[in-house]
Amino acid sequence: MPTYTAPVKDMQFLLHNVLKVTGSDTPGYSDLDEGFTAAVLEEAGKVASDVLAPLNAVGDREGCVLENGVVRTPKGFDAAFKAMKDGGWTALDCDPEYGGQGLPYLMGSAVGEIFVSANMAFNMYQGLTHGAYSAIHTHGTEDQKATYLPKLVSCDWTGTMNLTEPHCGTDLGLMRTKAEPQEDGSYLITGQKIFISAGEHDLAENIIHLVLAKAPGGGEGSKGISLFIVPKVLVNEDGSLGARNSLSCGKIEEKMGIHGNATCVMNYDGARGWLLGDLHKGMRAMFTMMNEARLGVGLQGYAQAEAAYQNALAYAKDRLQGRAVTGAENPSGPADPLIVHPDIRRNLMEQKSFVEGARALTFWAAHLIDRSVRQGDAAAEGLVSLMIPVIKGFQTDKGFDMAVQAQQVFGGHGYIEEWGMSQFARDARIAMIYEGANGVQALDLVGRKLAQDGGKHVMAFFEMVKAECKAHDGDDRMTGFAEPLKVASKQLQQAGMFFMQSGMKNPNAALSGSYDFMHLMGHVCLGLMWTRMAKAAYEALDAGHADRDYLEAKIATGRFYMARQLPACAMHLARIESGAETVMALPAEAF
């Protein structure tokens, strides 16, 4: 059965050597000294290794079962969920006013990675609850906050987000779920939602559904949609639980992966709900959840790759197959371990360099969210908004690829369920689809985010990369990082210029290249992160850091990414500049 160990050393390096959190002026960061963050991450790692990881295969094998309207989660999930609650892990970065611990979002993200790597399906129950908490915390009335937030923070109640319907996924303007206003200020919600993660389960005494629906007077399209709080069990004025609301789980979807999470069809039959935020402004409130959720899904992409990589590495060191082409490296044994072979090394280095780069990008983005929320930094908010589709789309595409590559290290054993490697690939696959399919992320990036606020955020990003490259002029050690990053950045800017010159005349020319642009930008982002990590590693070596082996491995891994992965930018640029002609050449009937 696969195992997992939290990468605390790498997380600590990012927090203290790259981001240098204690020296930041972001409120709350001065408290994040090395001893404190190490204690939090190591304890989270124990929970992950001892409690969550052993249940990962159990959840995959057993799945969830719907019995008489109640969803039964896999064996052991209820005890694990109680352990998470008792340990305060569900409240880590929540508002102390409602029972939270008030730590920065960055720490919540780091701990979240650990839990996702150990058991992605399980972590979704509390992860979605955090999204509901954030939406109510931002848009709710004082009464709504007092009623729901303490219970969501503790996960005595869990939360969901209800968007998709059988006939509409991305195009929410086609929504049919209705909200009828009542004299007491509530609404009766009627309709069906599908693909609702954690929509029904036995882990909490109540489930707070956030449901998009159309109220009278909203007009056509997505602009008329409102967001409603619809509890599974109605809440009395004194906060106690009352009658069951008029909603139910119609069925559990049979899925490729994340079997331990109940993906439900939810039926609302005149269920009582309350408006969250402004009438007909539900998309604005929902996007509070969506941006957080999309960063969390990008995190899922590399977190699954991390867990898969750990097991592939252990197998490559242990499995004896063939002899090294340069001579036996295990002469006393019948064969050498897999890791001596160059193609296995290539495979593992691709995994390692992606995971560590993606972790750095996600931590940096979480830091930008903290600056935006805690400090009111508009520039940070604009930059992270630009980054969200890249983090979600690029990291989940590559995360799935890396999970498959980890499976490949095992050969035929990777295809056999006994070894558990297929679960990482199957679980990682959903991250490319939910919270906005990756093609939609690419359209959002090119169609909206590049031009947002007059394009100042993408220009700020270009200037940031340029400044990073210039900062290393004259440092021969950094040439292998700064020069490739400079080339890749120019290729990204060239792609943007192509969109500006061709997109106005022929929008298909831009949209046909949007997916390649998302990946091109993803590579540049990871190139930027590797340049920063290399500089931090050299600084630590110069300062006499005790763990030289780790730092030298970090630099070598970064050199691999810059030399072997970043050149993909040229390929993506060539595809973009080929335009739309070959993409759109065939009439629909010719396919």
Side-chain angles (χ1 to χ4, degrees):
M1 184 173 70
T3 59
Y4 170 72
T5 302
V8 174
K9 183 186 294 185
D10 203 56
M11 291 180 168
Q12 286 284 87
F13 172 75
L14 289 175
L15 292 174
H16 300 288
N17 294 83
V18 180
L19 293 174
K20 300 179 180 177
V21 288
T22 55
S24 170
D25 61 352
T26 305
Y29 275 37
S30 60
D31 298 329
L32 303 180
D33 62 71
E34 290 193 47
F36 175 76
T37 58
V40 172
L41 297 175
E42 286 167 4
E43 194 60 34
K46 291 176 185 176
V47 174
S49 298
D50 300 343
V51 179
L52 302 187
L55 293 175
N56 200 36
V58 174
D60 186 55
R61 183 172 60 250
E62 294 185 7
C64 297
V65 179
L66 177 62
E67 297 176 340
N68 300 318
V70 177
V71 171
R72 306 295 180 192
T73 52
K75 182 179 179 181
F77 270 43
D78 54 348
F81 201 68
K82 185 177 185 302
M84 294 291 282
K85 290 162 55 179
D86 291 347
W89 296 109
T90 64
L92 205 66
D93 61 344
C94 295
D95 190 340
E97 184 176 346
Y98 303 103
Q101 298 178 39
L103 290 182
Y105 181 72
L106 173 60
M107 287 302 296
S109 298
V111 169
E113 179 201 323
I114 292 171
F115 293 157
V116 169
S117 289
N119 195 323
M120 177 172 159
F122 175 90
N123 194 67
M124 289 170 65
Y125 291 101
Q126 68 189 49
L128 287 156
T129 303
H130 195 285
Y133 154 85
S134 295
I136 295 174
H137 189 270
T138 303
H139 300 284
T141 66
E142 291 306 313
D143 284 346
Q144 287 172 339
K145 292 178 186 180
T147 299
Y148 298 107
L149 292 187
K151 294 291 189 179
L152 291 172
V153 167
S154 67
C155 271
D156 289 334
W157 300 350
T158 60
T160 71
M161 50 199 301
N162 286 236
L163 292 79
T164 307
E165 299 185 6
H167 57 282
C168 72
T170 302
D171 190 354
L172 294 174
L174 299 176
M175 188 175 296
R176 294 175 185 162
T177 299
K178 300 295 183 185
E180 301 175 32
Q182 305 299 297
E183 290 184 2
D184 64 358
S186 66
Y187 289 76
L188 296 184
I189 312 299
T190 301
Q192 186 180 78
K193 300 288 185 176
I194 64 170
F195 305 157
I196 309 306
S197 299
E200 173 61 43
H201 57 80
D202 57 359
L203 300 178
E205 59 188 6
N206 203 2
I207 302 174
I208 309 305
H209 300 286
L210 298 191
V211 184
L212 286 178
K214 288 189 172 182
E220 296 298 318
S222 62
K223 292 182 179 179
I225 295 173
S226 301
L227 182 63
F228 299 91
I229 299 173
V230 188
K232 170 184 169 180
V233 181
L234 296 171
V235 183
N236 297 321
E237 287 190 12
D238 64 358
S240 63
L241 295 180
R244 173 73 184 250
N245 210 347
S246 299
L247 60 91
S248 61
C249 172
K251 76 168 189 175
I252 301 176
E253 303 287 2
E254 294 186 21
K255 312 184 296 293
M256 176 180 175
I258 54 168
H259 296 151
N261 195 272
T263 304
C264 301
V265 173
M266 297 301 301
N267 297 317
Y268 295 90
D269 301 305
R272 195 165 294 277
W274 288 265
L275 183 68
L276 177 59
D278 297 329
L279 188 65
H280 309 315
K281 302 292 184 183
M283 293 304 295
R284 183 175 65 184
M286 183 59 81
F287 269 102
T288 300
M289 296 175 68
M290 290 298 285
N291 282 334
E292 178 182 307
R294 285 170 177 170
L295 186 134
V297 172
L299 182 151
Q300 287 179 335
Y302 82 82
Q304 285 298 285
E306 165 71 35
Y309 165 72
Q310 288 189 17
N311 287 277
L313 176 61
Y315 187 82
K317 289 181 175 180
D318 183 66
R319 176 76 167 176
L320 302 181
Q321 290 284 282
R323 289 294 188 190
V325 69
T326 53
E329 295 195 19
N330 178 35
S332 62
D336 290 333
L338 278 173
I339 200 166
V340 306
H341 303 299
D343 192 61
I344 294 294
R345 290 290 186 96
R346 172 203 58 79
N347 186 326
L348 292 171
M349 285 296 283
E350 287 184 3
Q351 295 175 58
K352 178 177 171 61
S353 65
F354 163 72
V355 167
E356 293 180 14
R359 176 178 298 121
L361 179 58
T362 303
F363 279 29
W364 178 59
H367 147 75
L368 291 176
I369 288 176
D370 278 329
R371 290 194 66 83
S372 168
V373 173
R374 290 171 170 251
Q375 207 164 14
D377 187 333
E381 182 179 5
L383 191 55
V384 79
S385 179
L386 172 70
M387 292 295 154
I388 287 292
V390 179
I391 289 170
K392 195 281 182 187
F394 176 73
Q395 289 188 181
T396 58
D397 277 353
K398 300 299 289 186
F400 173 73
D401 288 347
M402 294 304 114
V404 171
Q405 286 192 200
Q407 188 181 24
Q408 187 75 10
V409 171
F410 284 71
H413 291 295
Y415 199 67
I416 301 299
E417 291 297 336
E418 175 187 353
W419 288 83
M421 293 305 291
S422 79
Q423 184 183 353
F424 295 123
R426 287 185 287 103
D427 286 358
R429 183 65 183 88
I430 185 56
M432 301 162 70
I433 299 171
Y434 62 12
E435 308 305 345
N438 285 357
V440 176
Q441 300 302 318
L443 296 180
D444 179 47
L445 175 63
V446 170
R448 292 181 61 245
K449 297 299 176 61
L450 292 185
Q452 191 172 23
D453 295 330
K456 74 175 184 179
H457 305 303
V458 71
M459 294 307 296
F461 175 72
F462 289 147
E463 286 300 314
M464 180 184 297
V465 176
K466 181 179 178 181
E468 185 68 39
C469 294
K470 190 172 180 57
H472 307 302
D473 285 349
D475 187 345
D476 292 341
R477 298 183 302 183
M478 291 297 296
T479 301
F481 293 89
E483 288 302 317
L485 179 60
K486 186 184 301 183
V487 171
S489 177
K490 288 180 178 178
Q491 291 166 335
L492 181 64
Q493 293 178 62
Q494 189 174 331
M497 287 299 296
F498 174 81
F499 289 156
M500 289 179 62
Q501 294 166 358
S502 305
M504 295 297 289
K505 304 173 192 172
N506 179 11
N508 283 337
L511 299 187
S512 295
S514 61
Y515 211 92
D516 280 286
F517 188 87
M518 180 178 72
H519 274 252
L520 202 170
M521 190 165 177
H523 280 298
V524 172
C525 287
L526 262 61
L528 175 63
M529 294 301 112
W530 272 114
T531 303
R532 289 177 174 176
M533 286 190 284
K535 181 61 174 177
Y538 278 125
E539 288 176 346
L541 285 169
D542 292 343
H545 193 285
D547 198 343
R548 296 187 64 86
D549 289 345
Y550 167 79
L551 294 171
E552 289 171 355
K554 175 66 71 175
I555 294 166
T557 304
R559 289 189 178 280
F560 173 90
Y561 193 89
M562 305 307 279
R564 298 283 302 228
Q565 301 297 88
L566 206 57
C569 292
M571 174 193 71
H572 290 301
L573 175 61
R575 289 176 175 176
I576 289 166
E577 292 185 331
S578 72
E581 184 178 351
T582 56
V583 174
M584 305 301 291
L586 289 182
E589 58 272 14
F591 280 86

CSV table of all heavy atoms in Angstrom, one decimal, residues 483-516:
chain,number,residue,atom,x,y,z
A,483,GLU,N,19.1,33.4,-17.6
A,483,GLU,CA,19.1,33.5,-19.1
A,483,GLU,C,17.9,32.7,-19.7
A,483,GLU,O,17.2,33.2,-20.5
A,483,GLU,CB,20.4,33.0,-19.7
A,483,GLU,CG,21.5,34.0,-19.4
A,483,GLU,CD,21.2,35.4,-20.0
A,483,GLU,OE1,20.7,35.5,-21.1
A,483,GLU,OE2,21.5,36.4,-19.3
A,484,PRO,N,17.7,31.4,-19.3
A,484,PRO,CA,16.5,30.7,-19.8
A,484,PRO,C,15.2,31.4,-19.4
A,484,PRO,O,14.3,31.4,-20.2
A,484,PRO,CB,16.6,29.3,-19.2
A,484,PRO,CG,18.0,29.2,-18.8
A,484,PRO,CD,18.5,30.5,-18.5
A,485,LEU,N,15.1,32.0,-18.2
A,485,LEU,CA,13.9,32.7,-17.8
A,485,LEU,C,13.7,33.9,-18.7
A,485,LEU,O,12.5,34.2,-19.1
A,485,LEU,CB,14.0,33.1,-16.4
A,485,LEU,CG,12.8,33.8,-15.8
A,485,LEU,CD1,11.5,33.0,-15.9
A,485,LEU,CD2,13.1,34.2,-14.3
A,486,LYS,N,14.7,34.6,-19.0
A,486,LYS,CA,14.6,35.8,-19.9
A,486,LYS,C,14.1,35.4,-21.3
A,486,LYS,O,13.2,36.1,-21.8
A,486,LYS,CB,16.0,36.5,-20.0
A,486,LYS,CG,16.0,37.8,-20.8
A,486,LYS,CD,17.4,38.4,-21.0
A,486,LYS,CE,18.1,38.6,-19.6
A,486,LYS,NZ,19.4,39.2,-19.8
A,487,VAL,N,14.6,34.3,-21.8
A,487,VAL,CA,14.2,33.9,-23.1
A,487,VAL,C,12.7,33.5,-23.1
A,487,VAL,O,11.9,33.8,-23.9
A,487,VAL,CB,15.0,32.7,-23.6
A,487,VAL,CG1,14.4,32.0,-24.9
A,487,VAL,CG2,16.4,33.1,-23.9
A,488,ALA,N,12.3,32.7,-22.1
A,488,ALA,CA,10.9,32.2,-21.9
A,488,ALA,C,10.0,33.4,-21.7
A,488,ALA,O,8.8,33.4,-22.3
A,488,ALA,CB,10.8,31.3,-20.8
A,489,SER,N,10.4,34.4,-21.0
A,489,SER,CA,9.5,35.6,-20.7
A,489,SER,C,9.3,36.3,-22.0
A,489,SER,O,8.2,36.8,-22.3
A,489,SER,CB,10.2,36.5,-19.7
A,489,SER,OG,9.4,37.6,-19.5
A,490,LYS,N,10.3,36.5,-22.8
A,490,LYS,CA,10.2,37.1,-24.1
A,490,LYS,C,9.2,36.4,-25.0
A,490,LYS,O,8.4,37.0,-25.8
A,490,LYS,CB,11.5,37.3,-24.8
A,490,LYS,CG,12.4,38.4,-24.1
A,490,LYS,CD,13.7,38.5,-24.8
A,490,LYS,CE,14.6,39.6,-24.2
A,490,LYS,NZ,15.9,39.7,-24.8
A,491,GLN,N,9.3,35.0,-25.0
A,491,GLN,CA,8.3,34.2,-25.7
A,491,GLN,C,6.9,34.4,-25.3
A,491,GLN,O,6.0,34.5,-26.1
A,491,GLN,CB,8.8,32.7,-25.7
A,491,GLN,CG,10.1,32.5,-26.4
A,491,GLN,CD,10.7,31.1,-26.0
A,491,GLN,OE1,10.4,30.6,-24.9
A,491,GLN,NE2,11.5,30.6,-26.9
A,492,LEU,N,6.7,34.5,-24.0
A,492,LEU,CA,5.4,34.8,-23.4
A,492,LEU,C,4.9,36.1,-23.9
A,492,LEU,O,3.7,36.3,-24.3
A,492,LEU,CB,5.4,34.7,-21.9
A,492,LEU,CG,4.1,34.9,-21.2
A,492,LEU,CD1,3.1,33.8,-21.5
A,492,LEU,CD2,4.3,35.0,-19.6
A,493,GLN,N,5.7,37.2,-23.8
A,493,GLN,CA,5.3,38.5,-24.3
A,493,GLN,C,5.0,38.5,-25.8
A,493,GLN,O,4.1,39.2,-26.3
A,493,GLN,CB,6.4,39.5,-24.0
A,493,GLN,CG,6.6,39.7,-22.5
A,493,GLN,CD,7.7,40.7,-22.2
A,493,GLN,OE1,7.7,41.8,-22.6
A,493,GLN,NE2,8.8,40.2,-21.5
A,494,GLN,N,5.8,37.7,-26.5
A,494,GLN,CA,5.6,37.6,-28.0
A,494,GLN,C,4.2,37.0,-28.3
A,494,GLN,O,3.5,37.4,-29.2
A,494,GLN,CB,6.7,36.8,-28.6
A,494,GLN,CG,6.7,36.8,-30.2
A,494,GLN,CD,7.9,36.1,-30.7
A,494,GLN,OE1,8.9,36.1,-30.1
A,494,GLN,NE2,7.7,35.5,-31.9
A,495,ALA,N,3.8,36.0,-27.5
A,495,ALA,CA,2.5,35.4,-27.6
A,495,ALA,C,1.4,36.4,-27.3
A,495,ALA,O,0.4,36.4,-28.0
A,495,ALA,CB,2.4,34.2,-26.7
A,496,GLY,N,1.6,37.2,-26.3
A,496,GLY,CA,0.6,38.2,-25.9
A,496,GLY,C,0.5,39.2,-27.0
A,496,GLY,O,-0.6,39.7,-27.3
A,497,MET,N,1.6,39.6,-27.7
A,497,MET,CA,1.5,40.6,-28.8
A,497,MET,C,0.8,40.0,-30.0
A,497,MET,O,0.0,40.7,-30.6
A,497,MET,CB,2.9,40.9,-29.2
A,497,MET,CG,3.7,41.9,-28.2
A,497,MET,SD,2.8,43.4,-28.0
A,497,MET,CE,2.9,44.1,-29.7
A,498,PHE,N,0.9,38.7,-30.2
A,498,PHE,CA,0.2,38.0,-31.3
A,498,PHE,C,-1.3,38.1,-31.0
A,498,PHE,O,-2.1,38.4,-31.9
A,498,PHE,CB,0.6,36.6,-31.4
A,498,PHE,CG,-0.2,35.8,-32.4
A,498,PHE,CD1,0.1,35.9,-33.7
A,498,PHE,CD2,-1.3,35.0,-32.0
A,498,PHE,CE1,-0.7,35.2,-34.7
A,498,PHE,CE2,-2.0,34.3,-32.9
A,498,PHE,CZ,-1.7,34.4,-34.3
A,499,PHE,N,-1.7,37.9,-29.8
A,499,PHE,CA,-3.1,38.0,-29.4
A,499,PHE,C,-3.6,39.4,-29.7
A,499,PHE,O,-4.7,39.6,-30.2
A,499,PHE,CB,-3.4,37.6,-28.0
A,499,PHE,CG,-3.2,36.1,-27.7
A,499,PHE,CD1,-2.9,35.7,-26.4
A,499,PHE,CD2,-3.3,35.2,-28.7
A,499,PHE,CE1,-2.7,34.4,-26.1
A,499,PHE,CE2,-3.2,33.8,-28.4
A,499,PHE,CZ,-2.9,33.4,-27.1
A,500,MET,N,-2.8,40.4,-29.3
A,500,MET,CA,-3.3,41.8,-29.5
A,500,MET,C,-3.4,42.2,-31.0
A,500,MET,O,-4.3,42.9,-31.4
A,500,MET,CB,-2.3,42.7,-28.8
A,500,MET,CG,-2.3,42.7,-27.3
A,500,MET,SD,-1.0,43.8,-26.6
A,500,MET,CE,-1.6,45.4,-27.2
A,501,GLN,N,-2.5,41.7,-31.8
A,501,GLN,CA,-2.5,42.0,-33.2
A,501,GLN,C,-3.5,41.2,-34.0
A,501,GLN,O,-4.0,41.8,-35.0
A,501,GLN,CB,-1.1,41.8,-33.8
A,501,GLN,CG,0.0,42.7,-33.2
A,501,GLN,CD,1.4,42.3,-33.5
A,501,GLN,OE1,1.6,41.3,-34.1
A,501,GLN,NE2,2.4,43.1,-33.0
A,502,SER,N,-3.7,40.0,-33.6
A,502,SER,CA,-4.6,39.1,-34.4
A,502,SER,C,-6.0,38.9,-33.8
A,502,SER,O,-6.9,38.7,-34.5
A,502,SER,CB,-3.9,37.8,-34.6
A,502,SER,OG,-2.7,37.9,-35.2
A,503,GLY,N,-6.0,39.0,-32.5
A,503,GLY,CA,-7.3,38.7,-31.8
A,503,GLY,C,-8.4,39.6,-32.1
A,503,GLY,O,-9.6,39.1,-32.1
A,504,MET,N,-8.2,40.9,-32.3
A,504,MET,CA,-9.2,41.8,-32.6
A,504,MET,C,-9.8,41.5,-33.9
A,504,MET,O,-11.1,41.6,-34.1
A,504,MET,CB,-8.7,43.3,-32.5
A,504,MET,CG,-8.2,43.7,-31.1
A,504,MET,SD,-9.6,43.7,-29.9
A,504,MET,CE,-10.5,45.1,-30.5
A,505,LYS,N,-9.0,41.2,-34.9
A,505,LYS,CA,-9.5,40.9,-36.2
A,505,LYS,C,-10.2,39.5,-36.3
A,505,LYS,O,-11.2,39.3,-37.0
A,505,LYS,CB,-8.3,40.9,-37.3
A,505,LYS,CG,-7.6,42.2,-37.3
A,505,LYS,CD,-6.3,42.0,-38.2
A,505,LYS,CE,-5.4,43.2,-38.0
A,505,LYS,NZ,-4.1,42.9,-38.8
A,506,ASN,N,-9.6,38.6,-35.6
A,506,ASN,CA,-10.1,37.2,-35.6
A,506,ASN,C,-10.0,36.6,-34.2
A,506,ASN,O,-9.0,36.1,-33.8
A,506,ASN,CB,-9.3,36.4,-36.6
A,506,ASN,CG,-9.8,34.9,-36.7
A,506,ASN,OD1,-10.8,34.6,-36.1
A,506,ASN,ND2,-9.0,34.1,-37.3
A,507,PRO,N,-11.1,36.7,-33.4
A,507,PRO,CA,-11.0,36.2,-32.1
A,507,PRO,C,-10.6,34.7,-32.0
A,507,PRO,O,-10.0,34.3,-31.0
A,507,PRO,CB,-12.5,36.4,-31.6
A,507,PRO,CG,-13.0,37.5,-32.4
A,507,PRO,CD,-12.4,37.3,-33.8
A,508,ASN,N,-10.9,33.9,-33.0
A,508,ASN,CA,-10.5,32.5,-33.0
A,508,ASN,C,-9.0,32.4,-32.9
A,508,ASN,O,-8.5,31.4,-32.4
A,508,ASN,CB,-11.1,31.8,-34.2
A,508,ASN,CG,-12.6,31.5,-34.0
A,508,ASN,OD1,-13.1,31.4,-32.9
A,508,ASN,ND2,-13.3,31.3,-35.1
A,509,ALA,N,-8.3,33.3,-33.5
A,509,ALA,CA,-6.9,33.3,-33.5
A,509,ALA,C,-6.3,33.3,-32.1
A,509,ALA,O,-5.3,32.6,-31.8
A,509,ALA,CB,-6.3,34.4,-34.3
A,510,ALA,N,-6.9,34.1,-31.2
A,510,ALA,CA,-6.5,34.2,-29.8
A,510,ALA,C,-7.0,32.9,-29.0
A,510,ALA,O,-6.2,32.3,-28.3
A,510,ALA,CB,-7.0,35.4,-29.2
A,511,LEU,N,-8.3,32.6,-29.2
A,511,LEU,CA,-8.8,31.5,-28.4
A,511,LEU,C,-8.3,30.1,-28.8
A,511,LEU,O,-8.2,29.2,-28.0
A,511,LEU,CB,-10.4,31.5,-28.5
A,511,LEU,CG,-11.0,32.8,-28.1
A,511,LEU,CD1,-12.5,32.7,-28.1
A,511,LEU,CD2,-10.5,33.2,-26.7
A,512,SER,N,-7.9,30.0,-30.1
A,512,SER,CA,-7.2,28.7,-30.5
A,512,SER,C,-5.9,28.5,-29.8
A,512,SER,O,-5.4,27.4,-29.7
A,512,SER,CB,-7.1,28.7,-32.0
A,512,SER,OG,-8.3,28.7,-32.7
A,513,GLY,N,-5.3,29.6,-29.4
A,513,GLY,CA,-4.0,29.5,-28.7
A,513,GLY,C,-4.0,29.7,-27.2
A,513,GLY,O,-3.0,29.7,-26.6
A,514,SER,N,-5.3,29.8,-26.7
A,514,SER,CA,-5.4,30.1,-25.3
A,514,SER,C,-4.8,29.0,-24.4
A,514,SER,O,-4.2,29.2,-23.4
A,514,SER,CB,-6.8,30.4,-24.9
A,514,SER,OG,-7.7,29.2,-25.2
A,515,TYR,N,-5.0,27.7,-24.8
A,515,TYR,CA,-4.6,26.6,-23.9
A,515,TYR,C,-3.0,26.6,-23.9
A,515,TYR,O,-2.4,26.4,-22.9
A,515,TYR,CB,-5.1,25.3,-24.5
A,515,TYR,CG,-5.3,24.3,-23.4
A,515,TYR,CD1,-6.6,24.2,-22.7
A,515,TYR,CD2,-4.3,23.4,-23.0
A,515,TYR,CE1,-6.8,23.2,-21.7
A,515,TYR,CE2,-4.5,22.5,-22.0
A,515,TYR,CZ,-5.7,22.4,-21.3
A,515,TYR,OH,-5.9,21.5,-20.3
A,516,ASP,N,-2.4,26.8,-25.1
A,516,ASP,CA,-1.0,26.9,-25.2
A,516,ASP,C,-0.4,28.0,-24.4
A,516,ASP,O,0.6,27.9,-23.7
A,516,ASP,CB,-0.5,26.9,-26.6
A,516,ASP,CG,-0.5,25.6,-27.3
A,516,ASP,OD1,0.3,24.8,-27.0
A,516,ASP,OD2,-1.5,25.3,-28.1
